[in-house]
């Protein structure tokens, strides 16, 4: 049996809630730590990413996110999946998208651990980014329906507006929503106003590491006239 199939088998084993000393739990954490080391360089090891996904092991991780109690999900699980999805290889991203990843990743936004929240959101962003590269910025996002069917946009927006959400995650939430709403009108006017306001604040912050992404999100949103009008309020100029 290949090591990838073994990983899938071990990651698919149910763990009794609160059973910290479980051999199976320790094995799963060891697998995730191995994956973290294997995938930490986003520019290499796409062949291993491909094998891991095709073995069913990536789906096993998503099943954990979707079905386990949140308190039983450890940082290593979310970190491993984040690094799996942290690649510019569009074929890998497309493979991940076929696994219907958004439901499990959205669940991570409800976790009490802010690192796990962050990795869940970043994984959603990275997967949608791969999908968005395949289309022109004047076309709607190809993954929009998949996230919308789960009320995912609203969940990310709610996460953005929580008092205890970190500044980084608030900014990335707005960027993620902006990418998904590329060339599309917001049904929720308050969401449009608040997301665009958040994006503009990121662009105007010279020290914000997400500035380029926020600028890109605004450019994508501006393909819709209502969004463009909102963006250009107060004389704000959209730069390429």
């Amino acid at each position: 049996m290949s090591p990838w199939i073994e990983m899938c088998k071990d990651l698919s084993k149910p763990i009794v809630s609160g059973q910290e000393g479980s051999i199976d739990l320790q094995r799963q954490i060891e697998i995730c730590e191995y994956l973290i080391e294997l995938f930490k360089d986003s520019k290499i090891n796409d062949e291993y990413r491909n094998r891991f996904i095709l073995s069913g092991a990536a789906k096993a991780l998503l099943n954990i996110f979707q079905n386990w109690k949140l308190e039983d999900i450890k940082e290593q699980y979310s970190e491993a999946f984040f690094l799996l999805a942290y690649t510019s290889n569009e074929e890998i991203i497309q493979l991940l998208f076929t696994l219907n990843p958004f439901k499990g990743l959205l669940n991570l936004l409800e976790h009490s651990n802010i690192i796990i929240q962050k990795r869940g959101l970043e994984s959603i962003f990275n997967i949608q980014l791969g999908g968005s590269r395949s289309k022109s910025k004047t076309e709607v996002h190809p993954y929009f329906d998949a996230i919308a069917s789960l009320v995912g946009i609203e969940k990310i927006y709610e996460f953005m507006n929580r008092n205890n959400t970190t500044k980084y995650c608030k900014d990335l939430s707005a960027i993620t929503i902006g990418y998904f709403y590329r060339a599309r009108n917001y049904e929720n006017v308050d969401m449009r106003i608040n997301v665009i306001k958040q994006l503009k604040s990121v662009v105007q912050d010279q020290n914000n590491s997400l500035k380029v992404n926020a600028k890109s999100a605004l450019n994508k949103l501006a393909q819709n006239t209502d969004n463009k009008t909102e963006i250009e309020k107060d004389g704000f100029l959209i730069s390429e």
Side-chain angles (χ1 to χ4, degrees):
M1 186 179 295
S2 79
W4 307 104
I5 299 296
E6 286 282 0
M7 287 183 197
C8 177
K9 180 180 176 182
D10 289 337
L11 288 171
S12 299
K13 291 179 179 178
I15 305 298
V16 177
S17 179
Q19 194 174 353
E20 292 290 343
S22 164
I23 294 175
D24 289 337
L25 176 61
Q26 292 305 314
R27 168 62 178 154
Q28 289 183 352
I29 290 175
E30 287 172 3
I31 290 172
C32 290
E33 289 174 341
Y34 171 75
L35 296 172
I36 290 167
E37 185 65 25
L38 189 65
F39 298 144
K40 66 181 180 181
D41 189 333
S42 65
K43 296 180 180 179
I44 62 174
N45 287 338
D46 277 337
E47 178 58 33
Y48 291 149
R49 285 184 172 90
N50 185 66
R51 292 179 188 177
F52 183 75
I53 295 167
L54 293 178
S55 74
K59 184 62 175 178
L61 273 179
L62 288 169
N63 286 338
I64 288 172
F65 300 156
Q66 186 170 327
N67 299 314
W68 281 23
K69 291 182 179 179
L70 290 173
E71 61 266 27
D72 292 332
I73 299 174
K74 310 303 180 186
E75 284 185 25
Q76 291 93 335
Y77 295 92
S78 60
E79 183 74 15
F81 191 89
F82 160 72
L83 290 172
L84 175 67
Y86 189 51
T87 174
S88 59
N89 187 311
E90 292 179 15
E91 292 182 7
I92 298 295
I93 295 298
Q94 182 60 38
L95 277 176
L96 287 173
F97 178 70
T98 64
L99 302 180
N100 300 314
F102 293 140
K103 186 172 184 179
L105 294 172
L106 286 166
N107 280 351
L108 298 185
L109 302 185
E110 304 303 317
H111 205 288
S112 60
N113 184 312
I114 61 173
I115 302 300
I116 293 176
Q117 291 176 354
K118 177 173 177 278
R119 290 315 195 197
L121 180 62
E122 288 173 328
S123 295
I124 292 171
F125 176 79
N126 287 336
I127 291 171
Q128 71 75 31
L129 183 63
S132 70
R133 291 195 188 106
S134 65
K135 298 287 184 179
S136 164
K137 71 178 182 179
T138 60
E139 298 180 67
V140 296
H141 198 294
Y143 296 171
F144 180 87
D145 289 343
I147 194 86
S149 68
L150 301 168
V151 199
I153 300 291
E154 289 79 4
K155 290 177 180 177
I156 296 171
Y157 182 62
E158 186 273 330
F159 177 67
M160 183 187 91
N161 287 315
R162 288 182 204 164
N163 292 331
N164 61 350
T165 297
T166 65
K167 173 67 165 58
Y168 172 87
C169 282
K170 285 179 180 289
D171 293 343
L172 186 59
S173 293
I175 291 167
T176 302
I177 294 171
Y179 272 65
F180 272 121
Y181 264 95
R182 180 180 71 191
R184 184 186 292 269
N185 188 38
Y186 284 88
E187 298 85 357
N188 184 327
V189 175
D190 287 339
M191 183 189 293
R192 177 174 66 220
I193 292 171
N194 291 327
V195 166
I196 289 174
K197 179 181 178 181
Q198 188 79 21
L199 291 172
K200 288 163 71 172
S201 73
V202 176
V203 170
Q204 292 168 333
D205 181 357
Q206 297 301 319
N207 297 317
N208 197 310
S209 62
L210 295 173
K211 181 178 178 179
V212 173
N213 301 104
K215 188 181 295 185
S216 178
L218 287 172
N219 273 288
K220 294 176 191 302
L221 287 173
Q223 303 308 308
N224 172 272
T225 54
D226 289 338
N227 295 338
K228 189 171 188 290
T229 299
E230 181 64 35
I231 293 168
E232 292 179 341
K233 280 183 178 178
D234 304 319
F236 186 90
L237 296 177
I238 307 170
S239 58
E240 291 293 336

